[in-house]
Amino acid sequence: MSLGSYHQPVLKNRRTLLERAEKFISDIYFTDCNLRGRLYGDSCPLENLEFFLSPKRIPFTEASNQTFAPYKVGDSFGPTWYTCWFRVALTVPASWSHKEVHLLWESDGEAMVWRDGQPVQGLTKEGEKTSYVLSEALQDEEPHSVQLYIEVACNGLFGAGQGSMIAAPDPKRMFSVQRAELIVFHRDVQELLTDFEMMLDIVKELGENDQRSFQALFAVNEMVNLCEPLDPGTFPRARGLASAFLSQRNGQSQHTVHAMGHCHIDSAWLWPYEETIRKCGRSWVTVVRLMEKNPQFVFTCSQAQQFQWVKSWYPGLYSQIQDFVKKGQFVPVGGTWVEMDGNLPSGESMVRQFLEGQRFFNKEFGNYCKEFWLPDTFGYSAQLPQIMQGSGISNFLTQKLSWNLVNTFPHSTFFWEGLDGSKVLTHFPPGNSYEMKGKVEDLVKTVRNNKDKGRVNHSALLFGFGDGGGGPTQLMLDRLQRVPDTDGLPRVRMSTPDALFSQLWSDSQLLCTWSGELFLELHNGTYTTQAQIKRGNRQCETLLHDVEVASSLAMCRDPSFQYPAEKLQELWRLLLLNQFHDVIPGSCIELVVDDALRYYEDIRDSGSKLLNSALNILGSRGSSPAVFNSLPWERQEVVQVQNGSCNLALVQVPSVGVSPVKSTEPQTPVSVTVQDDGTVLMENGILKTVINKDGTLASLCLVSSGREALLDGSKGNQFVLFDDVPLYWDAWDVMDYHLQTRKPVVEVVDAARVVCSDRLRATVSFSLRVSERSTITQEIIMDAMCPYLKFNTRVQWEESHKFLKVEFPVRVHSPNATYEIQFGHVQRPTHRNTSWDWARFEVWGHKWADLSEHNFGVALLNDCKYGYSVYRNTMTLSLLRAPKAPDANADMGTLQFTYAIMPHAGCFQDSSVIQCAYNLNSPLRLVQCPPETVAWSGFSVSSPAVVLETIKQAEDQPRTLLLRLYEAHGSTVSAALNSTLPVSEAWHCDLLERKDPIRPAKLTAQGIVLHFKPFEIVSLLLVL
């Protein structure tokens, strides 16, 4: 094909030709004579511009009734987090008839245009949206005089960081409108500019070794020759050259890119939750406008919480979204309440993310999501595939592992096999981004980065401004529409997740399988940052568990008791919101931390009231002390009760039941002795420990075998401090080199002393100085009949870029340590043989970690921590960090937590490590009962390998209970579930509580006999 007669001579100087074309469309150079300088025509000032400043985010109806004052472009307003409302009066000149007319608005704050009381357009300079189209071709019958309101948030797309994006917000930052006027927009210039941009990008991206690059270079050079910026009559020939080049097609084997609009909006991050609501409104109304103009445009959108916000705050917009969902353009994805962290939420919390999300999407839009969508979280638990499958999802999309600091993940499209063997088809968009711009660079990167060339010939490309919202633009769509099948580039089709995964499934024969967790080799500090958020999460997970168990039992024991389903859903949704992947990890600003902690308090306050109401029913409102056990095994523990002068009692409580407090004598009373050298010896018949004056353990012995747990010459419970200065991501990252800065905490403020000596409990207290500003105060507690030693800890923490941990060097040799995760556990190496090993120098786990050799091991338990390290035979629990961005006050103040050390004979499965960790996190609850009360149990499970995790009322089924159990040991096992409740029938169901009509669970004399594979989750519906 001939591309025209080139002017002679065309010298072989690639640089000059390339730069010539670049300058021809530059917005910096030669704008007096180049094409870019012709983008706007005549301009006209606004007729009137007034403003009103509000410290709060208020609805339109309230704002529009305020008193407005004149505003001059360039004047400042603010400060940060305020809202400035503008009332705009404009009149379009009659001479602009049949021209495209825009309101040009440039501000350093995010803005929303309101017209006739409805949101109509988002405006964000950082998101390349600076104009509101008043008319594409002004007609005489169109209104020439218009009044608009513009709501400007005093924050940018990424908040208001002081000096850098992730720095703490500048509370005094002021904002302004730099430009506000009517302009004539030359659409033909914009179209030609897009042609030039695409041609130039082909030149640059394909490079000097590709003939198509040179063909594009000479074609774009001739376009410059043909185009006279002041003469639109020359534009068609220049555009014809571009069209001819871009229309040259690929061969049949070319890769296909599935382009989908996307707008990743962090539910909170560098801005508070409330601002996210407006980000959703601004972004999604802009998407709707694009859909009206581009019927082929498809937009994917996750997070049911955000849909709920828009439904509440912008009902008119939400109605439009529902219409476009029906048309297949606005596609809800993900199936979860928020895009949660993939590591820290409990197994039940992850189930509830899907339960709440999927039920919301089905109720609002008539469909369940088929794909899990989590592109930006900091690692992915090995139990997620099973949870996905149980929630009706077989496909998974993410890309975060492209951020790995050490190893390159080997696949783009693969099967991910979870802990129990469940598999999901997984796709990482090879462009390694969820916010591409539809440029040639994005298309080329998608093909070149595909790690499954020859196996898979289809990939996703997600385009649109993200993180802070913004979403796609018309320019992005125009770019992609120009290259549906252009020689040298992949094919491009506007697509949907369903279409993409359907194609991937059809081509899945050669795909590889990755087994186990998807561990992100970065952001390891998020396991520890913002300790109060971690503590709030764990405590609220436990509280809601107990409320559901107690309420379920109360409902069965008293027909008048109303199960608090609506209030529990409200509290669960608050908890799930705080599990968003920048909140529970602690990588958010202080305003978000304050919101999160307030939500935890709301859950504690309301949850405690619900729990007390249910416990009153279980205790029959008596006056004698009793205890409630929400866990599915019998417990014998020391509890503190108010009963005359005796505050401690050793009680025995059946599984999921209540028992009156009848203190029994321990087999071996606790003894505590201060020895001649000042050390303290404590024994309870199970453990014997010697505590040094500085609070470290000189010895920890398992009495039954005489086995010493601590390494010779080492100290247990050794606090250590590290310098903690990452490369950039302050709250997120702890780097490998921090391990080189280890400093033991050795300065004693108060030496170890006995503060409680009772046959049921002994307590030793001490305090240490970390620095001039920080101290540690700890109580070491040994209870009768308790197989672990407990450490109640209070830290006054006023550090900067320091990392506090506690170490236990143990006399155990094993190549792997075991860590609890959701509904199971995983093993990770204790050595650093390969880069994959040493990249996991800091890992996550839940309530326990264990290091065992044959017939002996040591477990480390905790009540609110998630960061661990086990290197060789030193077990380390991460306690506190002190980053300064994006929250300058992260973790400062008084912080409390508890951990425990548990040496054991045999393997951890047979030594009740799992049960002890649950016990530590789920205290027995005091209730009042009549004196004649007999201990009773609601449920029990015959096998210690099976944990009855959840008992709740089934969704939309008032007289039906939902029970969730899982196999915890990693074994194939059968177990009998027994209940004293009046169960009439039982059925298996999925995690969305949909009954499986072909899988009844038979009621037998032995109970309901269930069969488990390793780490399998089983859900049952019990009809009462």
Side-chain angles (χ1 to χ4, degrees):
M1 181 194 74
S2 172
L3 295 178
S5 300
Y6 296 102
H7 300 272
Q8 297 295 329
V10 180
L11 302 177
K12 290 186 176 181
N13 191 330
R14 180 181 174 91
R15 175 184 171 182
T16 58
L17 297 184
L18 180 58
E19 287 199 25
R20 178 198 187 197
E22 288 176 328
K23 297 299 193 293
F24 190 69
I25 62 171
S26 171
D27 59 357
I28 299 174
Y29 303 102
F30 308 115
T31 54
D32 61 322
C33 60
N34 73 2
L35 186 62
R36 181 75 62 179
R38 287 279 297 140
L39 184 60
Y40 300 134
D42 294 338
S43 64
C44 174
L46 303 179
E47 188 174 309
N48 198 28
L49 182 60
E50 301 172 300
F51 82 110
F52 157 72
L53 191 63
S54 170
K56 297 181 179 180
R57 300 170 181 87
I58 59 176
F60 172 82
T61 51
E62 182 180 342
S64 59
N65 288 316
Q66 301 301 313
T67 300
F68 285 74
Y71 177 80
K72 181 183 177 182
V73 171
D75 286 353
S76 296
F77 54 84
T80 305
W81 309 126
Y82 273 55
T83 299
C84 194
W85 285 83
F86 291 88
R87 185 162 59 199
V88 180
L90 57 88
T91 299
V92 182
S95 60
W96 288 7
S97 181
H98 303 294
K99 295 182 180 179
E100 184 168 342
V101 181
H102 291 194
L103 167 63
L104 191 63
W105 183 276
E106 293 185 5
S107 170
D108 43 12
E110 294 186 87
M112 172 82 93
V113 181
W114 293 78
R115 186 170 183 173
D116 300 326
Q118 293 297 320
V120 292
Q121 174 72 52
L123 296 173
T124 309
K125 185 161 66 173
E126 296 161 288
E128 297 179 5
K129 300 178 185 70
T130 56
S131 63
Y132 169 57
V133 180
L134 290 162
S135 177
E136 292 185 353
L138 186 66
Q139 304 299 310
D140 293 341
E141 60 271 19
E142 287 186 78
H144 283 48
S145 294
V146 176
Q147 180 173 274
L148 304 171
Y149 288 86
I150 300 180
E151 175 189 13
V152 177
C154 291
N155 54 265
L157 202 61
F158 291 92
Q162 189 167 11
S164 74
M165 181 184 75
I166 66 167
D170 178 0
K172 298 180 180 180
R173 179 176 167 184
M174 301 299 287
F175 295 77
S176 67
V177 177
Q178 296 90 41
R179 198 170 178 184
E181 59 185 330
L182 297 181
I183 55 99
V184 171
F185 184 79
H186 291 150
R187 178 64 57 182
D188 55 351
V189 173
Q190 179 59 62
E191 297 290 351
L192 185 53
L193 285 170
T194 305
D195 289 343
F196 268 105
E197 177 201 308
M198 296 298 285
M199 295 291 289
L200 277 167
D201 284 353
I202 288 173
V203 176
K204 290 183 282 190
E205 292 302 323
L206 297 188
E208 296 187 34
N209 295 323
D210 193 301
Q211 69 164 355
R212 285 291 283 171
S213 171
F214 281 93
Q215 290 172 357
L217 175 65
F218 289 117
V220 78
N221 182 65
E222 183 62 10
M223 287 169 64
V224 177
N225 291 334
L226 291 175
C227 179
E228 170 52 57
L230 295 176
D231 181 7
T234 64
F235 294 177
R237 287 188 64 194
R239 293 209 64 199
L241 277 179
S243 178
F245 180 89
L246 297 175
S247 296
Q248 291 178 328
R249 296 190 174 185
N250 280 295
Q252 293 182 357
S253 66
Q254 186 57 277
H255 193 87
T256 298
V257 167
H258 293 248
M260 294 170 252
H262 190 51
C263 179
H264 182 72
I265 302 178
D266 287 324
S267 290
W269 180 29
L270 305 176
W271 51 87
Y273 284 124
E274 259 198 11
E275 191 57 40
T276 306
I277 299 173
R278 299 200 296 188
K279 284 176 176 287
C280 293
R282 290 187 288 261
S283 302
W284 295 2
V285 75
T286 305
V287 165
V288 166
R289 297 288 86 82
L290 289 174
M291 288 179 174
E292 292 170 345
K293 186 178 178 181
N294 304 271
Q296 81 289 352
F297 171 43
V298 173
F299 178 76
T300 58
C301 192
S302 65
Q303 305 194 71
Q305 172 69 86
Q306 294 184 3
F307 282 88
Q308 179 64 55
W309 280 336
V310 170
K311 181 181 181 181
S312 299
W313 283 56
Y314 306 101
L317 170 60
Y318 190 75
S319 179
Q320 296 174 58
I321 289 171
Q322 287 179 308
D323 290 339
F324 281 106
V325 170
K326 292 176 183 176
K327 294 177 182 178
Q329 288 184 256
F330 204 110
V331 182
V333 295
T336 51
W337 189 245
V338 296
E339 289 189 11
M340 73 282 193
D341 181 84
N343 300 326
L344 307 185
S346 69
E348 188 59 30
S349 288
M350 284 192 168
V351 169
R352 300 304 176 91
Q353 287 284 355
F354 285 95
L355 179 69
E356 291 296 330
Q358 287 284 57
R359 283 173 56 82
F360 178 89
F361 288 129
N362 187 55
K363 178 182 177 182
E364 297 293 318
F365 307 115
N367 295 302
Y368 292 109
C369 297
K370 298 179 182 178
E371 62 289 308
F372 183 35
W373 196 275
L374 196 60
D376 190 33
T377 200
F378 312 147
Y380 305 87
S381 165
Q383 269 293 22
L384 273 169
Q386 184 179 188
I387 295 172
M388 281 184 245
Q389 288 284 13
S391 304
I393 289 174
S394 299
N395 306 316
F396 176 42
L397 183 143
T398 186
Q399 62 82 47
K400 197 65 178 183
L401 262 65
S402 65
W403 284 47
N404 270 6
L405 193 62
V406 181
N407 298 286
T408 300
F409 192 77
H411 311 302
S412 296
T413 305
F414 59 100
F415 284 107
W416 180 22
E417 182 179 63
L419 200 60
D420 73 316
S422 297
K423 289 184 179 181
V424 290
L425 180 58
T426 301
H427 181 65
F428 294 178
N432 297 337
S433 174
Y434 47 76
E435 51 171 333
M436 289 187 151
K437 307 301 183 289
K439 294 186 174 184
V440 171
E441 172 190 4
D442 301 333
L443 300 173
V444 172
K445 190 176 181 181
T446 294
V447 176
R448 288 179 178 168
N449 284 6
N450 180 22
K451 298 183 181 67
D452 294 285
K453 297 179 179 74
R455 301 172 188 267
V456 173
N457 215 21
H458 295 259
S459 297
L461 184 149
L462 309 180
F463 65 93
F465 287 95
D467 288 331
T473 66
Q474 184 62 52
L475 178 57
M476 295 176 194
L477 287 166
D478 291 343
R479 289 167 180 154
L480 294 170
Q481 288 164 3
R482 279 164 169 74
V483 288
D485 190 4
T486 296
D487 186 17
L489 301 179
R491 289 190 181 88
V492 178
R493 56 185 277 198
M494 193 63 63
S495 188
T496 64
D498 193 42
L500 168 68
F501 279 104
S502 294
Q503 189 64 56
L504 295 178
W505 274 106
S506 68
D507 297 338
S508 62
Q509 300 88 342
L510 297 177
L511 293 181
C512 298
T513 296
W514 180 274
S515 183
E517 66 181 329
L518 295 172
F519 185 88
L520 178 65
E521 298 172 357
L522 196 70
H523 293 357
N524 318 58
T526 60
Y527 315 148
T528 305
T529 304
Q530 297 289 6
Q532 290 189 80
I533 286 182
K534 268 69 170 182
R535 188 169 189 246
N537 178 74
R538 185 79 66 81
Q539 289 183 344
C540 289
E541 286 177 335
T542 300
L543 175 59
L544 293 183
H545 167 273
D546 286 5
V547 171
E548 290 180 336
V549 173
S551 297
S552 298
L553 297 176
M555 180 178 67
C556 296
R557 293 178 69 88
D558 185 345
S560 67
F561 179 83
Q562 293 294 312
Y563 187 92
E566 186 175 331
K567 187 64 178 179
L568 274 168
Q569 182 186 61
E570 176 189 324
L571 299 182
W572 264 110
R573 286 182 170 183
L574 275 182
L575 179 60
L576 299 179
L577 174 59
N578 274 354
Q579 290 172 350
F580 178 74
H581 65 252
D582 276 309
V583 180
I584 189 173
S587 50
C588 51
I589 62 172
E590 190 171 12
L591 278 176
V592 178
V593 175
D594 293 342
D595 284 345
L597 296 181
R598 188 173 69 252
Y599 290 165
Y600 289 133
E601 278 307 305
D602 291 345
I603 295 169
R604 288 187 183 105
D605 290 346
S606 297
S608 295
K609 292 175 184 176
L610 296 179
L611 181 61
N612 289 335
S613 295
L615 292 180
N616 283 338
I617 299 297
L618 300 185
S620 303
R621 299 183 177 88
S623 58
S624 296
V627 285
F628 167 63
N629 174 20
S630 66
L631 297 178
W633 43 77
E634 185 179 88
R635 296 167 68 175
Q636 186 178 31
E637 295 179 20
V638 175
V639 297
Q640 189 161 353
V641 294
Q642 297 301 323
N643 184 16
S645 59
C646 179
N647 288 329
L648 297 177
L650 179 63
V651 298
Q652 192 159 337
V653 198
S655 61
V656 193
V658 172
S659 176
V661 172
K662 296 179 180 178
S663 186
T664 59
E665 286 300 313
Q667 292 180 6
T668 304
V670 179
S671 67
V672 57
T673 305
V674 179
Q675 302 187 116
D676 293 342
D677 60 359
T679 62
V680 179
L681 171 67
M682 288 200 292
E683 298 182 73
N684 68 355
I686 301 172
L687 300 176
K688 180 171 68 174
T689 188
V690 176
I691 303 170
N692 293 316
K693 294 179 182 180
D694 61 359
T696 58
L697 304 186
S699 172
L700 179 62
C701 186
L702 190 62
V703 173
S704 61
S705 63
R707 177 75 180 261
E708 173 62 49
L710 298 180
L711 191 66
D712 291 343
S714 298
K715 298 177 180 179
N717 198 40
Q718 175 67 66
F719 290 101
V720 285
L721 195 67
F722 298 83
D723 295 339
D724 186 16
V725 184
L727 298 177
Y728 176 71
W729 297 101
D730 200 355
W732 293 258
D733 288 347
V734 54
M735 310 310 296
D736 52 354
Y737 52 75
H738 88 284
L739 296 170
Q740 303 170 38
T741 66
R742 177 184 179 275
K743 298 180 183 67
V745 178
V746 296
E747 185 178 348
V748 177
V749 177
D750 294 306
R753 61 190 178 91
V754 178
V755 295
C756 174
S757 178
D758 185 90
R759 74 190 197 288
L760 296 181
R761 174 174 292 171
T763 303
V764 170
S765 176
F766 69 95
S767 60
L768 304 173
R769 189 178 308 283
V770 179
S771 69
E772 292 181 356
R773 301 174 299 279
S774 302
T775 56
I776 301 169
T777 301
Q778 190 170 74
E779 291 182 338
I780 304 176
I781 299 173
M782 178 176 283
D783 279 352
M785 308 300 292
C786 184
Y788 54 80
L789 188 65
K790 189 164 61 173
F791 303 83
N792 287 351
T793 313
R794 186 176 74 252
V795 181
Q796 183 64 38
W797 185 245
E798 301 291 344
E799 297 300 311
S800 177
H801 293 109
K802 298 294 182 181
F803 198 160
L804 180 68
K805 305 183 186 184
V806 65
E807 294 177 346
F808 290 89
V810 297
R811 196 181 296 184
V812 177
H813 181 72
S814 177
N816 293 294
T818 308
Y819 304 83
E820 187 198 35
I821 67 165
Q822 298 82 359
F823 299 125
H825 56 263
V826 296
Q827 289 192 328
R828 301 184 181 110
T830 59
H831 55 75
R832 295 173 183 167
N833 287 354
T834 71
S835 60
W836 294 91
D837 298 330
W838 68 256
R840 289 181 279 180
F841 58 86
E842 177 82 5
V843 299
W844 65 273
H846 284 196
K847 298 185 292 293
W848 58 269
D850 184 83
L851 183 64
S852 290
E853 58 191 38
H854 177 67
N855 213 32
F856 183 78
V858 179
L860 187 54
L861 322 178
N862 77 84
D863 74 341
C864 62
K865 298 301 174 185
Y866 296 90
Y868 294 90
S869 172
V870 180
Y871 177 56
R872 298 192 181 277
N873 50 16
T874 298
M875 306 182 72
T876 305
L877 183 66
S878 296
L879 303 176
L880 297 171
R881 297 186 69 224
K884 299 304 172 186
D887 176 4
N889 297 305
D891 283 323
M892 297 299 99
T894 303
L895 302 160
Q896 294 180 300
F897 48 86
T898 296
Y899 56 88
I901 192 76
M902 179 180 172
H904 58 84
C907 63
F908 70 87
Q909 291 97 328
D910 296 337
S911 303
S912 300
V913 166
I914 297 170
Q915 287 81 356
C916 286
Y918 270 93
N919 295 349
L920 180 67
N921 281 267
S922 299
L924 294 170
R925 308 275 185 182
L926 289 174
V927 298
Q928 297 296 311
C929 69
E932 67 277 8
T933 297
V934 177
W936 60 269
S937 168
F939 290 94
S940 62
V941 182
S942 64
S943 171
V946 174
V947 175
L948 174 54
E949 177 72 18
T950 302
I951 305 169
K952 63 181 281 287
Q953 180 177 274
E955 302 293 319
D956 304 326
Q957 302 175 69
R959 294 299 297 172
T960 301
L961 294 182
L962 180 285
L963 271 61
R964 190 156 12 260
L965 308 93
Y966 73 95
E967 197 289 317
H969 286 182
S971 61
T972 299
V973 67
S974 295
L977 170 69
N978 288 280
S979 176
T980 59
L981 305 184
V983 179
S984 62
E985 56 183 276
W987 297 86
H988 286 268
C989 66
D990 66 5
L991 298 183
L992 303 185
E993 304 185 15
R994 299 176 296 190
K995 183 174 79 173
D996 186 342
I998 63 171
R999 293 191 66 200
K1002 295 181 180 180
L1003 305 175
T1004 70
Q1006 292 74 38
I1008 301 173
V1009 179
L1010 302 169
H1011 307 286
F1012 291 83
K1013 296 181 296 183
F1015 305 115
E1016 183 179 6
I1017 305 166
V1018 172
S1019 297
L1020 297 175
L1021 295 172
L1022 303 187
V1023 182
L1024 301 175

